[in-house]
Amino acid sequence: LMVLPGNHDWYDGLSAFDRLFCSRRDGISEGVHIGRYACEQHRSYWAIRLPHDWWIWGLDIQLTASLDVGQMQYFAEIAKQLPEDKSKGRIILCIADPSWIEGAETGSFASYAENLQRVLNLAIDKARVVTVIAGDSHHYARYFSKEHRVNLITSGGGGAYLAPTHHLPRLLQVPWKMASNGQPRLVEFTLNAPVATDNETAANPRHDARPETAYPPKNVSRGLTKRILAFPVTNWSFCVALGFIYALMYWFFTSVEVTPLEPHKVLLGAGRRRVELDSILLGVIRDGVQDRRILDTFPMHPLQYFYYLLEGSRWQPFLAFTVLSVLGLIYQFFVRSKSEWKRRIVALLFWIVHVMLMAYLAHFLLWYADRHVGVVGWWRVAFTVTSMWLGGGLLAGLLCGVYLWIATWYSQAHADNGFSAIRNRGYKNFLRLHVTKDVLTIYPIGLDSVPRHFGWRRPTKAEIAAGERGGYVPRKRLQPHLIEGPVVIRPADIVDMVDPPGNSVTTAPPLDPVAETALKPQTAV
């Protein structure tokens, strides 16, 4: 079992990854077994030699860090083992995440050019890179270059939740081989992908993206976005946390003393002095005394609520802190946008809706308790705070669900956030690869539904004797199917990239001076 580290592995500096998958490096341990598969790698990157001069290179792209010198040395030495005839060397390149999608979404291929492209150019100079396979995104998608017959495949179907496909662009321009002028050539990849690299199939006159090149299909992915509206049900614990924040805001909001807003139903007979806000919300104050005959103050004008929020924050620092904390949380976690000013505007609008919702709900609960419950003192406080916690959490969760649904439907800003809220465990996928002397066949396998926790069991002794290698087996038979294809790739169909006339192709992108100096005295791992 050979494993590449992803973002979660790098969050702790590969400590857990090394302990689990690279324990044979010390020469003492026999390594860890997962199920009945042995973990034998020594580093976070590797190269596997297959029959017929096929290779699988596993690259550790190390998040946003630059590739270390040891890894570059390793693949440089591995490249020396390739056949002298470039047409006979075949490489399947594996990386942790699809940099081509991330570059298209962010508008920058900086991390792609810095890491993947170094090893990619090294491999292209020595062999034919027939496909690049990545995970990370929890769906299946395959892009194809008609010009060079190369496939870019994302197959991260083992994730804890489904990721959408309807936001994927149909056309990508990806930096590829570095030219002699130091600039990478852009190669056009399309989601309208033929299932073979031969001339007739690769021509592919169809212009619409085939749904089978993305899994789940784009129409299914878009239809699943409606489930985000069930946010309060599928993410009830998160709504409980939101309700707690609403309850805190309510407590500080209603207990503060403020200067009444005179022009709107509140008249003071003598002087301007501060009174409790809940008295203002429950009725009209005349001569400093609440007039119980007039209780029809719900709802007030929105500007009145906004005024009392500002006035209350002025005299109650805890209210100001809580309200501003909500703004900070929304800005940091909810709003995603390439443009910073758009992010600020959306965060501000979303924040205004939240605090105004809290103010309206606080007024309604006070008004309802005073008119219909008939409780006063701490009993009224207990009733209104509990109701705010539960009702506020429900409404705040629904508001978040509507926001995520709109953002996921119309843009890709919240694609991952929105679908993680759905908690859909289905549409798993993985790849099976079969190599012969001249053909690589990729079988993309999909599972529309998978068993939940109690749908698995340990294999019996009879099943193990019959060759079962899994640590767990499903209680009910799975229903796997081919997502597309199979995808047939012939290295002879791959079209090499050459520089335009007048330019000579470099063998590899230049290393920085520090890395170049460090390479000279060291030997390969």
Side-chain angles (χ1 to χ4, degrees), residues 25 27 37 42 63-64 206 250-251 281 286-287 299 306 338 374 382-383 451 500 511:
R25 179 168 52 197
Y37 292 91
H42 291 187
L63 290 182
T64 58
R206 296 178 57 179
Y250 162 79
W251 179 278
L281 295 175
R286 298 183 186 278
D287 299 327
F306 197 69
K338 297 178 184 179
F383 170 78
L511 291 172

Side-chain angles (χ1 to χ4, degrees), residues 164 166-167 222 225-226 228-229 333-337 346 350 399-419:
H166 64 270
H167 69 285
R222 189 173 291 276
T225 58
K226 293 182 292 186
I228 303 176
L229 296 176
F333 297 109
F334 273 90
V335 180
R336 294 289 182 269
S337 177
V346 173
F350 196 33
L399 180 61
C400 292
V402 171
Y403 168 75
L404 290 176
W405 174 68
I406 294 175
T408 304
W409 178 272
Y410 290 103
S411 72
Q412 60 190 29
H414 279 290
D416 199 51
N417 303 88
F419 266 63

